[in-house]
Amino acid sequence: MDSIKRIAFFDSGVGGLSVLARIAQVAHALGRSDIQYLYLGDTARCPYGERSVQEINQFVGEIVSWLDGHAPDHVVMACNTSCALARPAAEQVVRKGKREILLDLIEPTAAYLLEIAQKSGPHDKIKINVGVMSTINTARSGAFGKALRKSPDIFKGQVKELGCPKLVPLIESGRLQDPDIASALDEALVEYLEQLAGTTHLILGCTHYPFIEQQILDLARGRLAHLFADGLVTVDPAVALAAQMTGQTYKDIHAIKAQVDYSAPAFTICTTGDTNAFDLAAARCLSCRKIKSRHVSLGHFAPKPATNALAFPITLL
Ligand code: DGL
């Protein structure tokens, strides 16, 4: 993390802000208040969860090309669906041989779970039954399971990957506190968690879900506790990524709770959709008073390497 000065993130909507918030809090706790953040939520085309691979490749190409044009040191694919389906498309766009590095969420998550699996020897029994809640696309790709099974000597557990398409629209509404949305969320979570009975380690495999982590845990440890007799812990890929970036443990990163002002000039937050709706949802998700996003139009950005890079913070019209 020492070398980072400008870091860019993208997602289909507000979900990737959970990744930005995690990295910003860790950076803040490490005394790195000098980092600039650029975020793009492609709200105009959200959700990505059931779009075709071709569409997602095209969108990711356009977005990474736009972010790349602002000379970040790192681009974080803060969207598991994009990581699972379109990493090669993103790789094609990022400038080769420069400081910039493309980061995704799947490999660090698998690395963290493999660490846990390694500890589960015959004398130190840690039971691992991995469940993944994600978009339909990510679940169909089997990306998390594939990453874990690359180490068959270490990981011998079960992986069940479940598409949960009802969740993103509820989170994007920015109205999770409203009784009708809260009850729709509760109903959807019960439906999904019932299908993941027996899970011990639940990967929040869509970056929107850390914003409903408490609701998931309340159900899994309360009303639905009988389905999770061995206990259930959530695994947030953003925590695994931050742990990998800093060399700290998952537990240490998870414990960091720094107060970050996301309306400070260090944060340039953009959306391809309606800024008012985005600001409302973003502020609720980040539990902050105000987010002031800027509108960006994509579609005319060809997915090819950008030249004449502009540094951020940026001024957009
Ligand atoms: N937040 C995204 C992910 O992590 C995508 C959600 C969606 O657009 O369906 O997969």
Side-chain angles (χ1 to χ4, degrees), residues 11-13 15-16 45-50 78-82 105 135 138 168 205-208:
D11 180 44
S12 62
R45 301 185 287 199
C46 184
Y48 283 7
E50 291 174 74
C79 168
N80 288 283
T81 309
S82 304
L105 297 163
T135 63
T138 304
V168 166
C206 165
T207 53
H208 284 73

Side-chain angles (χ1 to χ4, degrees), residues 58-76:
Q58 184 204 322
F59 299 167
V60 168
E62 290 169 2
I63 292 168
V64 176
S65 183
W66 185 82
L67 294 172
D68 195 64
H70 297 94
D73 306 300
H74 287 64
V75 172
V76 179

Side-chain angles (χ1 to χ4, degrees), residues 1 3 9 39 47 66 108 122 181 183 200 212 216 260 272 286 307:
M1 184 166 256
S3 61
F9 302 76
Y39 182 88
W66 185 82
I181 300 290
S183 113
T200 55
I212 52 167
I216 293 171
V260 172
T272 57
L286 294 172
T307 51

Side-chain angles (χ1 to χ4, degrees), residues 1 4 14-15 26 34 40 72 108 123 126 132 139-140 153 162 181 191 200 204 220 232 239 242 246 250 276 307:
M1 184 166 256
I4 298 179
V14 294
V26 170
D34 56 314
L40 180 59
H123 306 298
I126 301 173
V132 184
R140 276 200 194 127
D153 295 343
L162 183 70
I181 300 290
E191 176 189 328
T200 55
L204 303 176
L232 175 138
V239 177
T246 57
Y250 184 98
N276 290 329
T307 51

Side-chain angles (χ1 to χ4, degrees), residues 12 95 121 143 151 155 187 205 308:
S12 62
R95 285 164 298 155
S151 304
F155 185 78
E187 201 178 300
N308 302 327

